[in-house]
Amino acid sequence: MNTDLSQLPVAVIGSGPVGLAAAAHLLERGLTPVIFEAGDAPAAAVRAWGHIRLFSPWQYDVDAAARRLLTGTGWHEPDAETLPTGAELLEQYLQPLAAVPAIRNVLQTNSEVVAVSREGLDKTRTGGRDTTPFLVRVRNADGTTADHRVRAVIDASGTWNSPNPLGSAGLAAPGESAAYAAGLITAPLPDVTGRDRARFAGKHVLVVGAGHSAANTLLALGELAEQEPETRISWVIRRSSAASVYGGGDLDGLPARGALGSRLRTLVEEGRIELHTSFTITGFRSANSLTVVGTTPCGETQLDVDLLVPATGFRPNLDMLREIRLDLDPAVEAPRALGPLIDPEFHSCGTVTPHGARLLSHPEKDFYITGMKSYGRAPTFLMATGYEQVRSIAAALAGDQKAADDVELVLPETGVCSTDLGGNCDTVSSCGTDGAADQGEVSSCCGVPEPAAAAPADSCCSAPEPAFLGIPTGLEHGRSVAIDPPNRSQ
């Protein structure tokens, strides 16, 4: 590394939990970060879902380097066993962390990164690339742009602003954009019982999606319907069963996550939520209300609703990385070596083999994607995973490769992992913390049909309930991509 490059800062894109943790680890390593935040305040995306309570207690939510940085500032660490909301995470941890002078002095808000490249070199140029500074182009609040020279880039910008479309094949359905423009499709994770209450009370609301975001919204709507009996709730999923949304229940290492699925199952069984399975959205017609057109095993059908809440997950926005040499898994859009470990088609556990800088590296030296964005389209990311990622990356950038490679992470298990691969229920095991669990508990999840009370009128056409199999998260299933990371220099 030439002297000029070594004296430049490390760019951190995003000031959410993982971005701020990255800055804290860089500071501990004697490196200078510069943090670019697109919002008008630190962790702007967290504010948008501040009403949502996390599954993980505080013991998993505070980064170790950030904790050390906060020591002596008068900060009081929250009780390790309690579950914060997004607002509490922001107020009791992220805002105090961003206010520490070492962070505050390098944090630039209203600074949206629109491009990353190498100074004077596009993607096709190789000569001298590794010793050429990165160029980070930032759009400011007034619309002007500025270029920043940095020695390395950690992209922790997340995926909040890139929701998946509602249509099939990864594409927006006809009429989807118009429905958004008409305000008939909301933002993800609306505050149903809080600031957005008036918008939902007494309405027929459709939730689309089969993940934790959908479950949170459906439970909030169930609470609203108890107070506003005219409120009607419908739920659409593409799968033939909602069993994977219900999760592992008591087997879940995060009790709040297990309870979420159990409560949702109860609402469906009681008929308070009308579940439509095997439903693929093919179009929208919107006027004063919204008509959702779809296909099921019975043929074309439609639902007439007042509002639709999208909960179909998110995807990484890679546009700003057009001039960076990336090596991404072709299916998940995570770093290639990480993809097989987290592909949601084969893994539904929230745990993953510990990984750091080496697994997250790209052909572009000293460039890393971390946090939620590092998981690409996989939905099972946990904050603690991101904290270990950036600890390792900071060590690698500081030249401590041994520390970078010595990755350790203990995460709570999801309890039961699911797959559509099929198999014999007599041979399954769970993803318990010791790699196994009571066989009877897991086998009892196999082949259980949807309760009759939960079935919509056309449920006779739904596909059979899939079996559950325990899948140790570190193993491949049906993937031909090698797990071992390539041996790239750091």
Side-chain angles (χ1 to χ4, degrees), residues 268-285:
V268 173
E269 289 176 351
E270 293 175 350
R272 295 160 63 189
I273 294 175
E274 182 180 307
L275 173 61
H276 300 263
T277 60
S278 301
F279 190 111
T280 298
I281 295 175
T282 58
F284 296 96
R285 296 193 295 270

Side-chain angles (χ1 to χ4, degrees), residues 208-226:
V208 179
H212 292 131
S213 294
N216 268 304
T217 299
L218 288 162
L219 290 176
L221 286 166
E223 181 181 340
L224 178 64
E226 289 182 358

Side-chain angles (χ1 to χ4, degrees), residues 147-177:
D147 291 342
H148 299 260
R149 300 170 74 244
V150 298
R151 57 165 287 187
V153 177
I154 300 174
D155 182 356
S157 58
T159 58
W160 178 253
N161 292 317
S162 303
N164 284 322
L166 294 163
S168 64
L171 305 175
E176 186 170 333
S177 297

Side-chain angles (χ1 to χ4, degrees), residues 239 244 329 331-333 339-349 375-380 418-420 479:
R239 302 173 184 173
S244 62
D329 179 88
V332 185
E333 295 183 334
L341 307 181
I342 61 174
D343 187 337
E345 188 167 346
F346 305 104
H347 303 291
S348 66
C349 289
Y375 267 42
R377 300 193 185 196
T380 51
S418 64
T419 180
D420 291 329
R479 295 291 297 262

Side-chain angles (χ1 to χ4, degrees), residues 202-295:
K203 302 292 181 59
H204 182 189
V205 183
L206 173 65
V207 177
V208 179
H212 292 131
S213 294
N216 268 304
T217 299
L218 288 162
L219 290 176
L221 286 166
E223 181 181 340
L224 178 64
E226 289 182 358
Q227 304 161 8
E228 302 283 350
E230 296 301 314
T231 305
R232 181 182 167 194
I233 311 166
S234 292
W235 179 21
V236 157
I237 61 175
R238 293 176 188 163
R239 302 173 184 173
S240 61
S241 166
S244 62
V245 191
Y246 301 147
D250 293 340
L251 296 179
D252 200 312
L254 292 175
R257 186 171 54 193
L260 183 81
S262 299
R263 290 164 55 204
L264 180 58
R265 180 191 287 271
T266 298
L267 289 178
V268 173
E269 289 176 351
E270 293 175 350
R272 295 160 63 189
I273 294 175
E274 182 180 307
L275 173 61
H276 300 263
T277 60
S278 301
F279 190 111
T280 298
I281 295 175
T282 58
F284 296 96
R285 296 193 295 270
S286 55
N288 295 326
S289 62
L290 181 66
T291 298
V292 182
V293 182
T295 60

Side-chain angles (χ1 to χ4, degrees), residues 119-143:
E119 188 176 45
L121 302 176
D122 66 18
K123 183 186 287 189
T124 67
R125 299 283 299 279
T126 300
R129 192 172 190 88
D130 288 353
T131 56
T132 299
F134 285 93
L135 184 148
V136 178
R137 179 160 294 174
V138 174
R139 181 186 294 125
N140 303 309
D142 61 2

